[in-house]
Amino acid sequence: MTEKQSDSHNDFYQQLVNRRKPQPLTEESLREAQRNWSNLQPGNQKTEQLFPAYFFEGFWIRMWAFFIDLLCVRAISVATIGFLVRFQLVEQSDSLLSVYGLLAAVIYYGYFILMTKCNYGQTVGKMIFGIRVVSLEEEQLSWQTVLMREGIGRFILSFPGLGLLGYLPIIGSKKKQQIGDYISQTSVISLATLSAFTHQQEVLSAPETAHIHIGKSMQNE
């Protein structure tokens, strides 16, 4: 990491600390939490359930991420179901009970379920906007949790009228949970905030690490 990138991380961290209300964490517990939050970096499935309120991402970023995901689902549908319709292997229909409707549902729910489970809580839209689904009760997202959130939760949100009502809780929830998050005990966090705190923990622990290495070096001599 370059010196410029390091300064940028430190500036972002200080801005977060300065503009947010103090959290009920002691310095020792904060450092321990930061060490655990570092496990949320891509490639590591372990999570920590103790998140400050400002880690959670709000409505608008999640809405734009969902819009990108809908474009991805549309592209997959055109490349698969559209191919079948073009060659008259499947008849296009608005009925959910038709072959066309069932295939469309499989693609829609399958996209969100498989991407969330197999890509560490991120769909394409969430990757673009730097956010991630995390469990508030598990060390990693289990199949049961993902099916509850991306299967049952999205099925409820797909009903006319219920979609808006299902997302409204995000506005008043400290953990920014929509209806699917409530039933699966999950939420969505900002990876930029996570990265800033993780970097700060690395900076704070660097002198301790250096001291240990120096001590070992002197012992070897």
Side-chain angles (χ1 to χ4, degrees), residues 3-62:
E3 182 178 350
K4 183 177 181 180
Q5 291 175 322
S6 178
D7 291 340
S8 177
H9 274 291
N10 285 327
D11 290 343
F12 181 54
Y13 176 82
Q14 290 301 325
Q15 290 174 14
L16 283 172
V17 172
N18 291 337
R19 75 169 182 256
R20 303 292 184 176
K21 294 181 180 180
Q23 299 298 309
L25 294 175
T26 64
E27 182 177 351
E28 181 179 354
S29 62
L30 177 59
R31 290 192 180 190
E32 176 63 26
Q34 286 173 325
R35 283 192 290 271
N36 289 322
W37 295 332
S38 66
N39 292 317
L40 283 169
Q41 298 302 321
N44 196 320
Q45 297 184 37
K46 185 177 179 182
T47 68
E48 171 64 30
Q49 290 76 46
L50 178 62
F51 297 107
Y54 49 82
F55 267 44
F56 300 110
E57 193 56 75
F59 174 80
W60 292 107
I61 293 296
R62 292 168 66 171

Side-chain angles (χ1 to χ4, degrees), residues 11-164:
D11 290 343
F12 181 54
Y13 176 82
Q14 290 301 325
Q15 290 174 14
L16 283 172
V17 172
N18 291 337
R19 75 169 182 256
R20 303 292 184 176
K21 294 181 180 180
Q23 299 298 309
L25 294 175
T26 64
E27 182 177 351
E28 181 179 354
S29 62
L30 177 59
R31 290 192 180 190
E32 176 63 26
Q34 286 173 325
R35 283 192 290 271
N36 289 322
W37 295 332
S38 66
N39 292 317
L40 283 169
Q41 298 302 321
N44 196 320
Q45 297 184 37
K46 185 177 179 182
T47 68
E48 171 64 30
Q49 290 76 46
L50 178 62
F51 297 107
Y54 49 82
F55 267 44
F56 300 110
E57 193 56 75
F59 174 80
W60 292 107
I61 293 296
R62 292 168 66 171
M63 182 195 72
W64 286 112
F66 179 63
F67 177 74
I68 296 296
D69 289 326
L70 288 181
L71 293 179
C72 293
V73 171
R74 175 63 179 171
I76 295 172
S77 298
V78 170
T80 54
I81 307 177
F83 176 83
L84 298 177
V85 171
R86 190 176 304 114
F87 287 91
Q88 299 182 343
L89 299 175
V90 172
E91 183 179 353
Q92 189 169 356
S93 172
D94 294 331
S95 174
L96 293 176
L97 299 180
S98 64
V99 174
Y100 182 91
L102 290 175
L103 289 175
V106 168
I107 292 174
Y108 177 79
Y109 293 109
Y111 169 84
F112 285 101
I113 290 171
L114 293 177
M115 286 293 293
T116 301
K117 175 58 181 174
C118 301
N119 196 41
Y120 308 108
Q122 288 187 295
T123 57
V124 173
K126 290 183 177 68
M127 291 172 65
I128 291 174
F129 287 94
I131 57 180
R132 177 181 173 184
V133 177
V134 294
S135 172
L136 303 178
E137 293 184 339
E138 303 171 324
E139 289 191 344
Q140 58 180 324
L141 290 169
S142 66
W143 279 108
Q144 180 180 352
T145 297
V146 173
L147 289 172
M148 288 288 289
R149 185 185 196 276
E150 306 298 341
I152 298 176
R154 290 198 181 277
F155 179 74
I156 295 174
L157 292 172
S158 67
F159 282 90
L162 289 180
L164 178 60

